[in-house]
Amino acid sequence: MEVRGAYSNIKDQVRALEELSVKLPSLDTPEPPTIKRDRPRRARQLGSEQVVQLIADYQSGATVYELGDRFGIERRTVSNILHRHGVPMRRRGLSEDQIDEAVQLYNQGWSLARISARMDVDKWTVRQRLFERGVEIRDPQGRPRPRAGEAR
């Protein structure tokens, strides 16, 4: 058995190592700074007085979005608190008449954001109701969106 055979043609290996060494950073290059990330925080807990106030405000007409901002919690947390305390939820959305008006305004060129501001609902609610009615949704520049398989 010849020992030299496996090691006699090392040019390819040397070339590969040289290519790799070029990709490595220089030893003079300083280390990149580490990114300082905030530690995960514990979810904010409302005290019993705050929960009572949140429920009263909701029953007085405040939205879950407004209450989330006011108490520094997410709107889903507001909803969970209200559900946990048996508070009946108001259905936020659009009535059939409002959907009809939204379709008309959208067809006149109004944006989803403008319609949603007028009707005091989220623009995604407006978009979903228009889509359900078969309205073709425009792109953000106001152009018709291409259908599936069509090129722009």
Side-chain angles (χ1 to χ4, degrees):
M1 172 188 220
E2 188 178 331
V3 176
R4 209 175 144 229
Y7 301 103
S8 63
N9 191 5
I10 61 171
K11 290 180 186 176
D12 291 336
Q13 294 170 343
V14 170
R15 189 177 308 114
L17 283 172
E18 287 173 344
E19 289 174 7
L20 284 174
S21 71
V22 170
K23 294 179 182 178
L24 292 173
S26 166
L27 294 176
D28 299 335
T29 306
E31 263 189 60
T34 57
I35 298 172
K36 185 174 192 252
R37 293 191 171 95
D38 292 335
R39 292 181 59 178
R41 295 183 294 159
R42 187 163 181 254
R44 186 172 179 330
Q45 300 290 315
L46 298 183
S48 57
E49 290 178 12
Q50 289 176 310
V51 170
V52 169
Q53 184 64 50
L54 182 139
I55 293 170
D57 291 350
Y58 181 78
Q59 291 172 333
S60 297
T63 68
V64 291
Y65 293 96
E66 293 167 345
L67 293 171
D69 289 342
R70 190 176 308 158
F71 287 93
I73 56 178
E74 289 203 16
R75 82 149 168 91
R76 291 176 296 198
T77 305
V78 173
S79 295
N80 290 340
I81 291 169
L82 295 172
H83 285 293
R84 204 174 316 133
H85 289 85
V87 177
M89 300 294 290
R90 293 187 302 270
R91 184 178 184 306
R92 292 282 305 173
L94 298 172
S95 67
E96 290 301 314
D97 290 339
Q98 287 176 311
I99 297 171
D100 292 338
E101 182 183 359
V103 168
Q104 183 180 10
L105 294 172
Y106 192 75
N107 287 334
Q108 291 174 5
W110 283 43
S111 69
L112 294 173
R114 187 173 173 199
I115 295 169
S116 68
R118 176 182 176 127
M119 298 189 173
D120 194 28
V121 293
D122 189 80
K123 69 179 177 181
W124 295 107
T125 301
V126 174
R127 184 186 189 287
Q128 184 62 33
R129 296 305 158 279
L130 293 177
F131 181 78
E132 289 168 359
R133 289 280 182 96
V135 175
E136 193 170 318
I137 305 298
R138 300 181 299 265
D139 73 4
Q141 286 73 39
R143 299 179 300 237
R145 291 184 186 269
R147 296 184 193 277
E150 286 183 8
R152 269 204 170 210

